[in-house]
Amino acid sequence: MKLQTTATLALLLFLLLAPPSLSVSMAVGSEFCDSNCARRCSKASRHDDCLKYCGICCADCNCVPSGTAGHKDECPCYRDMTTGTGNRTRPKCP
């Protein structure tokens, strides 16, 4: 019992003192997409939603239009992504 408690305590101590490079990130993104989406969404009223959808679109298309709005012709894949099919189809990428 004492050995188990010591091992558990040692593991917790290691996790608390581990370098940040060992931490697991909730959002997986590339530096390219993260920086370009931060620029793209900098003036968005729904900043978190903009970053989420921009990140999804950037990961699929590997491009983000310049500026904070418009310019979607620079990246046709980004421009043409939609939320679905039928009457409620809307652009997916901000």
Side-chain angles (χ1 to χ4, degrees), residues 28-49:
V28 177
S30 69
E31 187 176 321
F32 172 80
C33 289
D34 291 347
S35 62
N36 282 302
C37 287
R39 175 191 37 81
R40 181 81 175 167
C41 297
S42 64
K43 294 183 180 179
S45 60
R46 296 175 63 180
H47 188 73
D48 291 340
D49 287 340

Side-chain angles (χ1 to χ4, degrees), residues 55-76:
I56 291 168
C57 296
C58 179
D60 287 348
C61 298
N62 201 30
C63 66
V64 176
S66 63
T68 56
H71 306 286
K72 288 187 179 182
D73 288 334
E74 296 173 359
C75 184

Side-chain angles (χ1 to χ4, degrees), residues 4 6 16 20 24 35 38 42 48-49 53 57 61 65 69-70 75 78-79 82 93:
Q4 195 175 31
T6 304
L16 288 172
V24 177
S35 62
S42 64
D48 291 340
D49 287 340
Y53 290 109
C57 296
C61 298
C75 184
Y78 190 96
R79 175 194 65 212
T82 59
C93 307

Side-chain angles (χ1 to χ4, degrees), residues 23-29:
S23 67
V24 177
S25 176
M26 290 296 288
V28 177

